């Protein structure tokens, strides 16, 4: 059982964890923030005079080409930070380190997926000097191919250094990137191109995943052919596709005039590329994430506030220093990859390690081999990965020397105390603090987290807010609830790295985040604060599931299912799952005359993978004659969740239109 036993309206927190782990004194002695008192003093300043605090930080931490006039303009729900200021992200991540001792330090160390243990993966190291050179060259390629400041560009690449190079090159010329995770389907790529009206796509012939090749370019070709219901091309704004040769796929079709090879374009440019000074509020990137309605939300972040948040959280939460080899295992397709593989570490002049492959290919000790080989000092990964390591057994990490590690982190979902303890003992040798970091695509940077030299930790709690963050737990009437009572997690004050909106849809932004609890940002998460003020996140309370650390909107999967011709109706709910946190269970009714079959079940799973991507494939599809509905026709998800979990049906069923439906559903689950 995980701790997040799926929250719903009357949020109940089941977890009573009393263990307390103080920061090891030898860790605190050299940490950036050495004590809880020091943290509390800085926190007090940050919330009592936020503008003074953030103004000071922005001045000390970032290189500006023009100073701002005003720290914050706040017209709820629209924030503008460092108004009137100008800066460039690539300058802050690269140029500023040139001519300093960091210039020849590794910025990125990368290892590709190995074919087998005796055929090691490729290795590449890029110093700050080299990365700067590559970014300038690729920025010139982007310009040569017609990309300008403010244009949108889709990045659909595997976990290779070029993904980071591409992101930074966009920032250098002020283009807005939207990275699409390589596991997403052609349809998802097309939807994102359409919504962002992107002009260009950066992709690769293929990427490697567990020995197989993911045909990224072919998906782009398919995406560019898809049409909407009126027969219009969905992704018609794309003028250029730049293709990286990664998998050496034979006979890759290249459309003349549209498709160009990355390496050929590079040979046509030099490495001189002045950085574009960008407005502090200029959009930096768009990332699509699931919401409770069918259509993914294009969350966008801007330049100055985001970068400041990324830099500060990276430094303080990971206690980053020059000697660290820091590894965040997230893919650049997620916000964690943006903030904590690329922008945060590089803004600090740190060394960020990137790995292309999966944790269990060719063998389940892949990560521990890497830790030993590169002397990784900080490891930041997801609870779902930790649970997988636990399942594969401690013999795998035990085979390797993990003594270089000094700090561990987790993100993505609540971590169950068993997994926390295992991570602490088996990976951290009972010596490394663990930072359980709560945040979201929307928040841009870490919001609730221990500071490793300062905050005593409790397994399963993200502990206390970062500087400037004012979280609160409230009830349905927006009133703060007493300690140890569950409620909705809201953020009371604007923070520099907050989302600035949903791309092209300011009304939906207001409605989704700012209408639930007046005057506050609503996170969608359930939470409890304990007697020490520690925050315990319980999980999502909207119709969004957290499957292996990824947000998946049930409505999105439902609309993919009903787009299949033989499906009449579909309802998707979560079922607690030991490995993934939650698993997706779909209840499907079929059109008259269509008979359920194992084949159809497989076709439906494939269909969802095609529409959204493999991460959204239902784990279980149950065919039903009818779905339980209220008299007014609303599907009673509460009951479906209980059926899916195989638990006894509890609670009120008097509003159910037809009681027999439920009986048949529970019976059919035994087949
Ligand atoms: C949702 C955000 C932010 C990077 C990865 C996910 C859940 C995230 C934690 C944590 C408990 C967590 C929340 C949040 N979540 N971190 N440490 N403890 N829950 O980004 O896809 O935007 O998802 O992930 O439910 O709202 P995301």
């Amino acid at each position: 059982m995980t701790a997040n036993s799926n929250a719903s309206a009357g949020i109940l927190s089941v977890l009573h964890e009393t263990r307390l782990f103080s920061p090891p004194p030898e860790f605190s002695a050299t940490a950036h923030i050495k004590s809880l008192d020091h943290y509390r003093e800085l926190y007090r300043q940050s919330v009592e005079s936020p503008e003074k605090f953030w103004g000071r930080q922005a001045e000390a931490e970032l290189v500006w080409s023009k100073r701002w006039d005003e720290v914050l303009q706040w017209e709820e729900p629209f924030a503008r930070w460092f108004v009137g200021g100008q800066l460039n992200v690539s300058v802050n991540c690269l140029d500023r380190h040139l001519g300093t001792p960091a210039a020849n330090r590794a910025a990125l160390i990368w290892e590709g997926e190995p074919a087998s243990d005796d055929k090691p993966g490729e290795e590449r190291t890029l110093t700050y000097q080299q990365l700067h050179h590559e970014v300038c060259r690729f920025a010139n390629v982007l310009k040569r191919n017609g990309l300008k400041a403010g244009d949108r560009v889709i990045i659909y690449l595997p976990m290779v250094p070029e993904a980071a190079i591409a992101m930074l090159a966009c920032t250098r010329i002020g283009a807005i990137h939207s990275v699409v995770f390589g596991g997403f389907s052609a349809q998802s790529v097309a939807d994102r191109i359409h919504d962002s009206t992107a002009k260009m796509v950066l992709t690769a012939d293929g990427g490697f995943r567990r020995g197989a090749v993911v045909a990224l370019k072919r998906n782009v070709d398919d995406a560019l052919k898809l049409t909407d219901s009126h027969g219009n091309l969905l992704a018609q704004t794309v003028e250029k596709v730049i293709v990286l040769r990664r998998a050496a796929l034979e006979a890759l079709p290249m459309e003349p005039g549209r498709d160009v090879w990355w390496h050929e374009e590079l040979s046509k440019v030099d490495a001189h590329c002045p950085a574009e000074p960008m407005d502090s509020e200029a959009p930096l990137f768009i990332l699509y994430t699931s919401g409770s309605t069918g259509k993914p939300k294009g969350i966008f972040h801007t330049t100055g506030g985001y970068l400041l948040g990324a830099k500060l959280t990276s430094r303080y939460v990971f206690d980053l220093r020059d000697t660290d080899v820091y590894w965040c295992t997230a893919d650049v397709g997620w916000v964690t990859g943006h903030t904590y593989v690329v922008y945060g570490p590089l803004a600090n002049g740190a060394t960020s390690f990137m790995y292309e492959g999966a944790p269990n290919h060719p063998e389940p000790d892949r990560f521990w081999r890497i830790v030993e080989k590169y002397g990784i000092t900080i490891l930041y990964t997801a609870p779902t990965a930790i649970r997988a390591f636990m399942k594969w057994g401690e013999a795998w990490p035990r085979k390797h020397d993990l003594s270089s590690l000094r700090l561990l982190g987790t993100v993505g979902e609540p971590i169950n105390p068993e997994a926390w303890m295992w991570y602490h003992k088996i990976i951290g040798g009972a010596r490394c603090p663990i930072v359980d970091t709560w945040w979201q695509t929307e928040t841009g940077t870490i919001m609730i987290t221990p500071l490793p030299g300062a905050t005593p930790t409790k397994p399963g709690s993200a502990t206390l807010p970062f500087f400037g963050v004012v979280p609160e737990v409230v009830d349905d009437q927006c009133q703060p609830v007493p300690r140890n009572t569950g409620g909705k997690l809201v953020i009371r004050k604007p923070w520099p790295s907050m989302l600035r909106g949903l791309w092209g849809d300011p009304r939906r932004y207001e409605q989704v985040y700012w209408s639930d609890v007046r005057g506050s940002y609503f996170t969608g998460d359930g939470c409890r604060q304990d007697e020490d003020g520690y925050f315990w996140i319980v999980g999502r309370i909207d119709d969004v599931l957290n499957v292996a650390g990824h947000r998946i909107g049930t409505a999105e999967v439902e609309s993919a299912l009903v787009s299949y011709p033989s499906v009449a109706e579909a309802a998707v709910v979560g079922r607690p799952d030991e490995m993934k946190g939650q698993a997706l269970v779909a209840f499907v009714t079929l059109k008259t005359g269509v008979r359920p079959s194992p084949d159809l079940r497989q076709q439906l799973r494939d269909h969802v993978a095609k529409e959204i991507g493999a991460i959204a494939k239902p784990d279980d599809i149950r065919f039903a004659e009818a779905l339980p509905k209220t008299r007014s026709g609303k599907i009673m998800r509460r009951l479906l969740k209980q059926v899916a979990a195989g638990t006894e049906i509890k609670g009120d069923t008097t509003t159910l239109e037809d009681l027999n439906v439920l009986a048949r559903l529970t019976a059919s689950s035994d087949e």
Side-chain angles (χ1 to χ4, degrees):
M1 257 312 283
T2 53
N4 57 324
S5 335
N6 205 11
S8 62
I11 302 150
L12 184 81
S13 193
V14 286
L15 200 65
H16 290 287
E17 175 61 57
T18 49
R19 285 170 287 202
L20 190 72
F21 293 82
S22 294
E26 57 290 0
F27 192 101
S28 303
T30 59
H32 292 304
I33 309 283
K34 296 181 170 56
S35 69
L36 201 56
D37 285 346
H38 188 194
Y39 155 75
R40 288 204 194 279
E41 173 52 26
L42 285 170
Y43 180 74
R44 189 187 59 73
Q45 292 172 19
S46 74
V47 295
E48 276 177 10
S49 353
E51 299 184 24
K52 202 166 138 202
F53 178 86
W54 288 116
R56 229 174 31 219
Q57 298 295 338
E59 190 159 345
E61 300 291 342
L62 300 183
V63 181
W64 297 84
S65 35
K66 180 173 170 285
R67 201 192 141 87
W68 61 92
D69 309 309
E70 213 180 328
V71 171
L72 171 66
Q73 274 176 11
W74 176 231
E75 278 167 47
E76 195 199 311
F78 299 101
R80 296 167 59 77
W81 285 87
F82 311 113
V83 186
Q86 288 187 344
L87 75 169
N88 183 281
V89 167
S90 77
V91 167
N92 276 278
C93 291
L94 302 169
D95 303 55
R96 75 167 304 168
H97 305 306
L98 306 185
T100 78
N104 295 317
R105 185 183 302 148
L108 295 177
I109 303 179
W110 172 81
E111 184 166 309
E113 188 186 85
S116 64
D117 271 347
D118 19 292
K119 253 203 167 172
E122 280 170 76
E123 292 165 25
R124 267 174 81 188
T125 297
L126 287 156
T127 64
Y128 276 92
Q129 187 79 46
Q130 292 168 321
L131 185 58
H132 175 263
H133 183 83
E134 293 306 322
V135 166
C136 287
R137 289 175 71 212
F138 195 64
N140 280 335
V141 167
L142 295 176
K143 280 204 265 189
R144 237 186 76 83
N145 282 280
L147 202 67
K148 290 189 292 294
D151 288 343
R152 274 80 58 207
V153 48
I154 298 289
I155 300 182
Y156 185 55
L157 284 168
M159 266 305 268
V160 290
E162 281 78 7
I165 292 170
M167 291 162 75
L168 288 159
C170 289
T171 73
R172 193 155 192 94
I173 66 170
I176 303 164
H177 61 66
S178 184
V179 184
V180 178
F181 173 57
F184 277 125
S185 66
Q187 180 70 49
S188 296
V189 173
D191 290 342
R192 283 152 178 75
I193 293 171
H194 176 72
D195 191 79
S196 65
T197 55
K199 227 170 136 174
M200 188 182 277
V201 178
L202 310 177
T203 190
D205 53 353
F208 296 107
R209 190 74 182 169
R210 294 199 173 88
V213 174
V214 187
L216 296 168
K217 169 64 162 64
R218 202 186 60 208
N219 282 349
V220 172
D221 288 342
D222 290 348
L224 297 184
K225 279 185 219 133
L226 287 169
T227 53
D228 64 15
S229 51
H230 308 291
N232 301 316
L233 285 176
L234 202 50
Q236 59 188 341
T237 48
V238 170
E239 293 165 11
K240 278 279 157 76
V241 179
I242 305 184
V243 187
L244 178 76
R245 201 197 289 280
R246 166 77 190 125
L249 291 187
E250 303 281 318
L252 192 73
M254 295 286 279
E255 171 128 345
R258 188 194 72 187
D259 302 349
V260 294
W261 285 106
W262 194 296
H263 59 277
E264 286 177 8
E265 291 303 296
L266 275 179
S267 69
K268 299 173 190 161
V269 296
D270 64 18
H272 177 70
C273 182
E276 194 76 36
M278 297 304 293
D279 192 279
S280 175
E281 279 300 327
L284 181 67
F285 65 82
I286 308 171
L287 250 187
Y288 287 83
T289 191
S290 293
S292 51
T293 61
K295 193 173 163 248
K297 302 177 286 192
I299 286 159
F300 76 93
H301 285 280
T302 60
T303 306
Y306 170 80
L307 189 64
L308 182 60
K311 183 171 185 189
L312 277 187
T313 50
S314 297
R315 161 120 42 84
Y316 291 124
V317 176
F318 300 113
D319 192 51
L320 270 185
R321 53 196 64 246
D322 298 350
T323 46
D324 279 316
V325 185
Y326 156 91
W327 182 18
C328 164
T329 67
D331 190 279
V332 287
W334 312 112
V335 73
T336 313
H338 285 55
T339 310
Y340 298 111
V341 175
V342 182
Y343 295 120
L346 299 184
N348 282 293
T351 297
S352 182
F353 180 82
M354 275 176 95
Y355 179 57
E356 180 185 34
N360 57 347
H361 182 84
E363 288 205 291
D365 66 343
R366 200 60 229 154
F367 276 24
W368 319 122
R369 265 177 199 274
I370 290 174
V371 168
E372 178 170 358
K373 174 171 168 190
Y374 294 91
I376 303 289
T377 58
I378 303 168
L379 178 69
Y380 187 34
T381 194
T384 182
I386 299 167
R387 290 192 297 267
F389 297 136
M390 287 171 75
K391 191 180 106 185
W392 298 332
E394 59 182 74
W396 294 106
R398 292 255 189 247
K399 279 168 63 174
H400 298 279
D401 178 3
L402 306 181
S403 61
S404 58
L405 289 170
R406 67 180 193 93
L407 176 62
L408 303 174
T410 74
V411 61
E413 58 182 308
I415 181 164
N416 43 312
E418 306 88 286
W420 196 102
M421 289 306 299
W422 190 90
Y423 199 30
H424 171 72
K425 283 194 198 138
I426 308 298
I427 306 305
R431 148 192 100 246
C432 306
I434 296 179
V435 286
D436 173 356
T437 62
W438 178 88
W439 59 296
Q440 310 178 295
T441 307
E442 291 87 342
T443 68
T445 61
I446 293 168
M447 300 288 276
I448 302 180
T449 178
L451 298 182
T455 318
T457 51
K458 304 182 188 185
S461 170
T463 75
L464 299 171
F466 189 72
F467 305 137
V469 176
V470 187
E472 198 163 41
V473 183
V474 301
D475 62 18
D476 284 336
Q477 284 68 48
C478 318
Q479 294 306 309
V481 298
R483 291 282 162 97
N484 278 318
T485 311
K488 298 172 170 175
L489 179 65
V490 300
I491 312 290
R492 289 296 197 196
K493 289 207 168 118
W495 64 101
S497 68
M498 66 192 274
L499 77 165
R500 296 302 193 266
L502 297 181
W503 190 254
D505 203 347
R507 300 249 317 264
R508 189 176 174 203
Y509 165 66
E510 283 196 71
Q511 184 255 317
V512 173
Y513 301 104
W514 298 89
S515 61
D516 234 82
V517 179
R518 205 147 286 289
S520 297
Y521 167 82
F522 177 43
T523 63
D525 281 352
C527 187
R528 156 179 80 93
Q529 240 186 318
D530 72 11
E531 56 286 356
D532 298 322
Y534 277 37
F535 289 85
W536 297 78
I537 313 295
V538 193
R540 305 287 309 174
I541 56 180
D542 47 16
D543 287 326
V544 176
L545 301 179
N546 195 325
V547 179
H550 298 305
R551 276 160 69 175
I552 296 177
T554 53
E556 219 179 315
V557 184
E558 286 163 5
S559 72
L561 285 166
V562 294
S563 73
Y564 199 75
S566 47
V567 172
E569 235 182 351
V572 174
V573 297
R575 177 186 67 203
D577 181 275
E578 258 190 44
M579 299 303 287
K580 300 206 249 183
Q582 285 185 296
L584 287 166
V585 181
F587 293 88
V588 171
T589 62
L590 298 171
K591 290 197 179 137
T592 326
V594 185
R595 298 199 52 81
S597 70
D599 267 1
L600 182 58
R601 188 175 276 135
Q602 192 51 44
Q603 284 158 19
L604 289 178
R605 298 186 72 230
D606 293 345
H607 179 67
V608 173
K610 188 172 139 264
E611 290 290 303
I612 307 175
I615 50 168
K617 259 192 200 177
D619 297 272
D620 196 355
I621 292 183
R622 308 248 185 113
F623 294 111
E625 282 166 52
L627 299 175
K629 288 188 188 165
T630 62
R631 276 159 239 254
S632 61
K634 229 174 147 225
I635 294 176
M636 293 178 79
R637 294 167 174 284
R638 175 171 57 83
L639 299 181
L640 287 177
K641 276 183 205 163
Q642 296 171 3
V643 175
T647 53
E648 193 193 333
I649 307 297
K650 286 202 204 111
D652 186 15
T653 50
T654 52
T655 55
L656 192 64
E657 186 212 355
D658 175 2
L659 255 176
N660 292 323
V661 168
L662 200 59
R664 284 200 297 269
L665 269 178
T666 25
S668 73
S669 65
D670 303 328
E671 44 168 33

